[in-house]
Amino acid sequence: MVSPGILLVDKPGGLTSHDVVARTRRAFGTRKVGHAGTLDPMATGLLVIGIEGATRLLTYIVGADKTYTATIRLGQRTSTDDAEGDIIGTADAEAWTGVTSAAIAHGIAALTGAISQVPSSVSAIKVDGRRAYDRVRAGEEVQLAARQVTVSRFDILADRPGEGVRDLDVVVDCSSGTYIRALARDLGEALDVGGHLTALRRTRVGGFDLVDATALDDLADAAPLTPADAARRVMPVLEVTADEARDLRHGKRLHGAAARLTAAEVAAIDPDGELVGVLEARGDDIKSAMNMPEVQR
């Protein structure tokens, strides 16, 4: 029997997130595998994978904030806002006169904090039931609505001028749903030279870090986090007694216990260190919003 767990994988470039899920299914011998947040084929880095019953935890991970390192190429626009698209515009020499370090810093400051962002038209957002990128590839013109996102850090790590381009290595901390490609595009537009993404690597998802991830070729030897260990990285914990754990697993409420919760969603851990589920308040009571399958001993 395959044990439930959360597996951290370092996705290589050129593969889809679904490809990584398929490889994980084969490595662990189970169909019940999912992930918490897609990475484009060009992107590399942290993919959080749920196995067996731990897939129930993915709902609570997918909305976590994230950290990326990326390279933004100023001076070229592409059809996809990244290096996989066709170059559709190149800045002339005159356009570069206003691209000073101060102007770049000003453009980055305008894209930091709570901002309104229009996702790339080749994103995975669904439009009337179909992915935006599928509609674009079919020749349709797609206009996506702006969305509110938060960029809490947008720092330049290196500034590398080149022949007709200028590459910025950056690090970005952001809310879920932020498109780094769109940041590259919008910075380039603000500077009137265009911009696109040439590299993207996700290094953190909430409390999960890339340093703990397994290479794709090492899946057979990977040791997933237990559901309890994973839950501790996602939300506060409430230690419950064996009797309380039994009641929660049977769908019963813990009457008058809501004051014990320290957040809207709290992980219940039983005396054996097993994750019972995710708790929420219902009036003065505590109720399970999600129960994990009970470990068979």
Side-chain angles (χ1 to χ4, degrees):
M1 178 181 292
V2 179
S3 297
I6 294 293
L7 180 66
L8 308 181
V9 177
D10 185 353
K11 187 189 89 67
L15 296 180
T16 66
S17 298
H18 182 74
D19 291 334
V20 176
V21 167
R23 289 275 294 270
T24 306
R25 285 172 174 158
R26 291 195 295 272
F28 284 84
T30 177
R31 294 289 302 169
K32 198 166 184 180
V33 176
H35 68 77
T38 300
L39 281 175
D40 291 335
M42 184 191 87
T44 67
L46 184 59
L47 197 63
V48 180
I49 302 286
I51 300 170
E52 288 292 328
T55 55
R56 299 183 186 186
L57 271 177
L58 298 180
T59 299
Y60 303 94
I61 299 172
V62 69
D65 58 341
K66 299 170 176 66
T67 298
Y68 296 90
T69 56
T71 300
I72 296 171
R73 173 158 291 177
L74 298 175
Q76 294 175 338
R77 298 174 178 86
T78 73
S79 57
T80 58
D81 301 327
D82 63 22
E84 295 191 325
D86 298 325
I87 296 174
I88 57 175
T90 301
D92 57 30
E94 189 174 310
W96 286 101
T97 57
V99 185
T100 62
S101 295
I104 291 173
H106 180 77
I108 285 177
L111 294 169
T112 305
I115 63 172
S116 178
Q117 182 185 74
V118 177
S120 171
S121 61
V122 291
S123 69
I125 294 172
K126 285 190 176 181
V127 179
D128 295 330
R130 290 177 60 202
R131 302 287 186 189
Y133 56 67
D134 287 333
R135 290 184 175 275
V136 170
R137 289 167 184 160
E140 300 179 35
E141 187 169 330
V142 175
Q143 295 291 332
L144 297 175
R147 55 174 59 187
Q148 295 296 311
V149 299
T150 300
V151 177
S152 52
R153 176 171 61 151
F154 190 171
D155 292 341
I156 297 176
L157 302 176
D159 184 346
R160 297 179 284 115
E163 187 67 35
V165 298
R166 186 166 176 171
D167 287 344
L168 305 177
D169 296 331
V170 302
V171 58
V172 177
D173 291 339
C174 57
S175 61
S176 180
T178 304
Y179 283 86
I180 312 302
R181 280 180 299 171
L183 291 179
R185 175 201 66 204
D186 293 345
L187 179 60
E189 290 305 309
L191 295 167
D192 291 326
V193 292
H196 70 280
L197 208 63
T198 62
L200 181 64
R201 185 161 175 79
R202 186 158 68 195
T203 61
R204 183 184 63 86
V205 176
F208 304 102
D209 198 281
L210 182 62
V211 297
D212 299 319
T214 298
L216 196 59
D217 290 339
D218 297 332
L219 286 182
D221 300 319
L225 296 167
T226 68
D229 287 342
R232 290 180 188 276
R233 300 192 186 194
V234 177
M235 63 187 74
V237 164
L238 178 66
E239 305 285 349
V240 297
T241 67
D243 288 343
E244 289 173 334
R246 183 191 62 244
D247 287 346
L248 290 167
R249 288 182 171 117
H250 291 167
K252 296 181 180 179
R253 298 188 180 199
L254 303 185
H255 296 291
R260 294 168 61 188
L261 299 183
T262 57
E265 295 169 342
V266 174
I269 308 291
D270 72 12
D272 293 322
E274 301 291 344
L275 177 64
V276 178
V278 175
L279 309 180
E280 63 183 13
R282 290 291 178 88
D284 293 332
D285 302 338
I286 289 177
K287 183 181 184 301
S288 285
M290 181 277 287
N291 269 352
M292 287 291 295
E294 192 165 359
V295 176
Q296 300 299 315
R297 297 185 183 278

